[in-house]
Amino acid sequence: QVQLVESGGGLVQAGGSLRLSCAASGRTSISYAMGWFRQAPGKEREFVATISWRGGSRYYADSVKGRFTISRDNAKNTVVYLQMNSLKPEDTALYYCTTGPSAASRRENDFTSWGQGTQVTVSS
């Protein structure tokens, strides 16, 4: 089992930037993909971005492509980042970090471990 802890959320004006981080602990010796999903109030949780174990493959939702960048550092403890630029009010959501067997999947049920989430609020 992998434990995930997110950080970096906050309140930002439209057009601003935030960088989310997610630290993994536990069975980090196992290679796995990591990613970010988000859930806005009254909406279902949705895919944002994923990255493969070595970082060679990255996938993005159309709504964030060109504005968000996912990266990871496996040097010591695995950490995954989400750099969010040109933020919009519609990016407001609770952002969850997750792990799974394949970065190519966008299905929530394919991902096995989840963090508690970090809130991102973008004001207009």
Side-chain angles (χ1 to χ4, degrees):
Q1 187 74 7
V2 177
Q3 290 78 46
L4 303 170
V5 178
E6 303 100 333
S7 61
L11 173 64
V12 65
Q13 288 188 333
S17 298
L18 281 175
R19 189 194 196 203
L20 305 184
S21 300
C22 173
S25 61
R27 297 187 68 187
T28 57
S29 60
I30 299 174
S31 304
Y32 45 80
M34 295 191 71
W36 293 91
F37 281 66
R38 67 186 182 186
Q39 186 168 22
K43 295 186 176 181
E44 294 184 351
R45 189 152 56 180
E46 65 176 7
F47 165 81
V48 175
T50 52
I51 186 168
S52 60
W53 166 243
R54 297 188 185 278
S57 298
R58 309 181 191 197
Y59 302 87
Y60 297 94
D62 289 343
S63 59
V64 308
K65 201 172 294 183
R67 300 187 298 121
F68 290 11
T69 301
I70 189 170
S71 61
R72 69 187 292 167
D73 182 357
N74 296 334
K76 289 186 177 180
N77 297 318
T78 298
V79 182
V80 64
Y81 304 97
L82 187 67
Q83 177 67 42
M84 305 185 295
N85 298 328
S86 302
L87 282 161
K88 305 175 181 180
E90 50 264 44
D91 294 318
T92 295
L94 190 60
Y95 283 70
Y96 294 93
C97 177
T98 185
T99 66
S102 173
S105 175
R106 301 187 178 204
R107 299 195 310 165
E108 185 178 342
N109 290 343
D110 288 340
F111 292 85
T112 54
S113 298
W114 294 86
Q116 294 299 307
T118 184
Q119 179 67 39
V120 172
T121 303
V122 184
S123 64
S124 57

